[in-house]
Amino acid sequence: ALVVGGGYIGLETAEQLRRRGCRVTLVEQLPQLMQALDGEMAELVRRALVAGGIEVRLNESLVAIREEAGKPVAETSLGKRIPFELGILALGVRPNVELARQAGLRLGVGGAIAVDREQRTSDEAVYAAGDNSEAIQLVTGTPVNLPLAGPANKMGRVAGNNAALDLAGARSDDPRRLRFRGVLGTSVVRTFGTIAAVTGLTERTALQSGVPFEVSYLWGKTHADYYPGAESILLKLLFDPVTGRLLGGQAVGGKGTEKRIDVLATAVAANRTVEDLSDLDLCYAPPVGSAKDVVVTAGFLAVNQLRSVMPAWSPGRLLDEMAKNGDSLCVVDVRTPREFASGAVPGAMNLPLDQFRDRKGELPSGRRIAVYCQGGYRSYLAQRMLLNSGRAEVYNVLGGYQLIQIVEEVRKREQRADSPSERMS
């Protein structure tokens, strides 16, 4: 089976075809799957597909489908020939607005039908709703077209209700009239037991919208880790660097990951802050959650960043600083010697946490210090030791070495996509 397109439909069909016993190749022309996610989060989805037995080909597009010996063969931009017996083209959607165009209705973002909060078009006698219509993005306040089932259903309810009131002769200020507030793009996909979900702004959409943001990462568990079956979750938050207002969230992990994004979607829609996350009273029992749920702990983490209790760098910021200002930076790995020997950031100094208090004097003076461990917690403890001893400019690298490796791999793939040879292909 050949699946072309790495969005929701492409991923879901690829998984099910594989479960039915097909040998599946998935081709995506962009350097990552799931454009709704940031690259490092989408990389975890790619790894889940590969672990499930699917061949994933990124930075590669479908050029032609030819017949050879009576069978179809796909040709890609990199010259790859892929014989197949079943093909799925999951290449995205465009709003179907031909009728609206013929009727002279105003079109908005991306060619979708422009509507007000009551789903009325530029013709007051015509309502529109669903994937063909635009809506307000709740964080930015700008119109967008997000073809998702949840918003489409709510938009349809508003349009139907208000059109019926019009037919009944109701006034424009009738209290029964409904208004659609807007969308966050909250969505989820599952691939072989790995769940990826998102709400609100991602780094990509925040940069495109010109919205200032700070990033936080946290590795957590789906429930209490001493109870059997706990799975990993990587949770990413975007928040306002001044007010702490939550702007968006992404999560990839095991069962229950999507429920954390539902919590974040509620918080974003209500204009809550990361401090509000740290105060949430969420349900807890060892089989289903933790006493400090990953959402609450992510709130703790972001609050510490806001208050400069924990000055932090993302893995991307670390890589940028190493490339630009490596001579003024000391990178410290506080994992065990065995962990360090299995792979580390080039040039990093290994000071294991259990020796750190006695050996921190070995660190060079007058240089900025970036501390990392495997996930981010041990490096936080080492950072506190340094800050409490009077050292300045000490940064905890969020997500640790496992996330640094992921970001490095994603960046290399993006660089290949930007190379002249790839663009020519």
Side-chain angles (χ1 to χ4, degrees), residues 1-18 22 24-28 62 65 74 84-92:
L2 171 69
V3 178
V4 184
Y8 300 102
I9 303 302
L11 267 58
E12 290 165 354
T13 53
E15 177 189 3
Q16 296 312 313
L17 289 168
R18 180 64 187 142
C22 295
V24 182
T25 300
L26 188 150
V27 176
E28 167 57 55
L62 178 66
I65 295 177
F84 67 97
E85 296 166 299
L86 172 65
I88 304 289
L89 300 183
L91 301 175

Side-chain angles (χ1 to χ4, degrees), residues 340-397:
F340 184 78
S342 67
V345 171
M349 180 179 183
N350 186 213
L351 289 183
L353 182 65
D354 59 1
Q355 305 171 21
F356 197 83
R357 194 179 299 276
D358 296 328
R359 295 183 57 191
K360 63 182 186 294
E362 298 176 22
L363 295 173
S365 59
R367 294 169 67 180
R368 295 175 304 159
I369 299 174
V371 190
Y372 75 88
C373 61
Q374 188 67 10
Y377 179 62
R378 285 176 288 174
S379 53
Y380 166 66
L381 299 179
Q383 178 193 40
R384 291 310 315 164
M385 293 180 199
L386 290 174
L387 292 174
N388 290 340
S389 65
R391 292 296 297 257
E393 293 196 89
V394 182
Y395 302 94
N396 183 20
V397 182

Side-chain angles (χ1 to χ4, degrees), residues 123-143:
D123 184 328
E124 64 177 16
V126 180
Y127 289 83
D131 294 352
N132 64 6
S133 303
E134 68 180 17
I136 298 300
Q137 214 289 342
L138 288 174
V139 178
T140 64
T142 57

